[in-house]
Amino acid sequence: MKKAVILNDTSFESHHGCETVVKNIKDLLLQNGIKTIDTHPVGKPWVENKSFIASMSQADIVIVNGEGTLHHSQPRAKDLISVGNYVKENLNIPVVLINSTCQENNSEIIESIKCYDLIFVRESLSQQELAKYDIKSKVVPDMSFYSQYDLSKKATTGRTGITDSVYFDLSEKLYLLSLEEGYEFLPAKTNSKIRKFTVNALLKHAESNLFKAIRYPFYKLKLIKFKYKKIRKFYYLNDYESYVNKIASSQFMIIARYHSLCFSLKTLTPFLALKSNSHKIEGILSDVGIESSRIVTEPDITTSEFKKFTSEEESNILNYINEAPTKIECMFKEINDLIVK
């Protein structure tokens, strides 16, 4: 069996979308006869991970999961994409960028992207961005769309859900808004998990569970008022299925998380969406064929109309989510063919 390593393992962030993405990448590699022998966690410099570098030397291909990292020339974008240069200079194997958003990166990052054998981006805006530098890429929906939802199981309640955001300050405002308006707070956070058995991971996991065990009863009984930074530890659902079902059963969603938007689309749950730290929200909605009026700013949430999908929007969404798994499978066939060559 062929072997792969994955950089930017976002499941370490403990969010439902990221966990789903990484699971689907591993599963599809395996379906194509490629075993994942190691992953490198999101936000950590790969050059400092000696065991991962050793694993790369044993691999047949290097997979870089771009997700929302490669934008605005941020330091971790430079670090992540630079692995392509290392692979080309030191290893005689292909390196592929998948599942990525790309926006407003400097020349150093652009030059690193050029050394990749295949490039797959999540939305057309990123493809257009790369085309400015004569970099060819293919648009394939986010890996979370490979996990399909059975729409026959959808049972809507009268509840409105609201998510957190990549921005902490906005998350706090959305949480407070949920209390004021009676919305159900549905951040994309999962429960704490041990991804790798290191001393730091074990201590962090123990600390999280101890906090919940001691303080949760006080919180439920309203004996202590916690600030959002602490209270958010209580707002999580254990697994992807539970989270998706919460979104599916909502009458309407207010969304500031990219993957929560993906889940809202696949469950045909109407929404308002807030922009994130890149064009990924606008990009996916444009590709799907959703009216830009569904994108709002935080002050406009309470004055905006909570509209059901139009028949055109619903048709466009169904086309997008039904075609996504096939496009994703074709991407992995291309990846597999690259190793064969």
Side-chain angles (χ1 to χ4, degrees):
M1 184 171 281
K2 290 163 283 190
K3 295 172 286 187
V5 293
I6 302 170
L7 276 92
N8 212 29
D9 183 347
T10 52
S11 67
F12 282 78
E13 289 193 329
S14 294
H15 287 94
H16 293 292
C18 297
E19 290 185 359
T20 305
V21 162
V22 175
K23 176 184 180 301
N24 287 342
I25 292 173
K26 290 179 179 179
D27 287 350
L28 277 155
L29 285 171
L30 202 57
Q31 287 176 33
N32 284 273
I34 307 168
K35 179 182 178 182
T36 302
I37 59 172
D38 203 357
T39 73
H40 177 72
V42 60
K44 305 279 187 181
W46 64 267
V47 291
E48 298 176 6
N49 191 339
K50 303 305 179 186
S51 64
F52 183 80
I53 291 172
S55 294
M56 278 200 288
S57 68
Q58 302 299 314
D60 297 294
I61 190 167
V62 173
I63 307 291
V64 176
N65 172 37
E67 287 204 44
T69 299
L70 302 179
H71 63 88
H72 298 98
S73 305
Q74 58 178 330
R76 68 175 187 166
K78 176 184 174 182
D79 172 73
L80 177 64
I81 205 67
S82 68
V83 76
N85 304 79
Y86 175 85
V87 172
K88 289 305 175 185
E89 291 170 7
N90 298 278
L91 307 170
N92 188 30
I93 58 175
V95 57
V96 177
L97 175 63
I98 69 170
N99 199 53
S100 188
T101 290
C102 294
Q103 182 182 4
E104 296 181 31
N105 290 302
N106 59 29
S107 58
E108 185 177 3
I109 292 174
I110 292 300
E111 286 305 310
S112 291
I113 292 175
K114 287 180 179 178
C115 75
Y116 281 71
D117 295 281
L118 290 173
I119 299 168
F120 299 93
V121 292
R122 301 188 294 188
E123 72 289 307
S124 298
L125 287 179
S126 290
Q127 184 182 51
Q128 293 164 20
E129 179 89 7
L130 292 176
K132 295 176 186 176
Y133 306 98
D134 296 321
I135 299 175
K136 293 182 180 180
S137 62
K138 293 185 179 181
V139 179
V140 176
D142 184 83
M143 286 298 305
S144 64
F145 283 100
Y146 197 70
S147 299
Q148 295 171 280
Y149 176 81
D150 185 353
L151 288 168
S152 68
K153 295 179 180 179
K154 185 176 172 68
T156 306
T157 67
R159 180 183 61 242
T160 295
I162 188 167
T163 75
D164 61 337
S165 164
V166 68
Y167 299 116
F168 185 85
D169 289 348
L170 179 56
S171 292
E172 188 162 20
K173 290 178 181 178
L174 295 174
Y175 169 68
L176 292 174
L177 183 61
S178 75
L179 298 180
E180 293 168 7
E181 300 292 336
Y183 302 148
E184 183 169 15
F185 190 53
L186 295 173
K189 185 177 174 60
T190 68
N191 60 322
S192 173
K193 297 182 180 71
I194 300 174
R195 310 289 175 181
K196 290 192 176 181
F197 285 91
T198 64
V199 173
N200 285 340
L202 291 169
L203 289 174
K204 187 176 179 180
H205 183 70
E207 178 190 25
S208 175
N209 283 280
L210 181 62
F211 178 90
K212 283 180 286 212
I214 294 173
R215 298 201 176 188
Y216 189 68
F218 292 92
Y219 159 69
K220 290 298 286 184
L221 294 170
K222 303 188 186 302
L223 297 176
I224 297 178
K225 288 186 178 181
F226 296 114
K227 292 183 178 180
Y228 174 74
K229 187 174 182 179
K230 295 294 184 182
I231 211 77
R232 64 182 178 149
K233 294 177 182 287
F234 301 135
Y235 283 90
Y236 70 85
L237 293 164
N238 280 328
D239 54 71
Y240 159 79
E241 293 294 338
S242 299
Y243 188 68
V244 169
N245 286 330
K246 276 284 188 181
I247 290 177
S249 64
S250 298
Q251 176 178 268
F252 197 87
M253 286 294 301
I254 299 164
I255 293 173
R257 280 280 186 186
Y258 175 80
H259 282 120
S260 299
L261 176 59
C262 294
F263 299 160
S264 194
L265 288 167
K266 76 168 67 176
T267 61
L268 282 183
T269 305
F271 58 83
L272 289 175
L274 287 82
K275 291 184 179 182
S276 189
N277 55 3
S278 71
H279 59 213
K280 57 189 175 184
I281 300 292
E282 305 96 293
I284 186 174
L285 293 187
S286 176
D287 285 352
V288 173
I290 295 292
E291 294 181 5
S292 59
S293 61
R294 290 196 179 271
I295 301 176
V296 298
T297 60
E298 183 262 328
D300 295 329
I301 292 174
T302 53
T303 57
S304 297
E305 183 183 356
F306 289 5
K307 299 182 295 183
K308 293 182 178 180
F309 289 131
T310 64
S311 58
E312 182 181 5
E313 284 178 320
E314 186 167 314
S315 176
N316 291 342
I317 293 169
L318 287 171
N319 286 337
Y320 186 88
I321 63 176
N322 289 335
E323 292 173 359
T326 300
K327 291 181 178 179
I328 292 170
E329 286 175 350
C330 288
M331 174 175 68
F332 278 86
K333 185 179 184 305
E334 283 194 62
I335 291 170
N336 186 37
D337 291 345
L338 192 62
I339 303 177
V340 173
K341 290 177 185 179

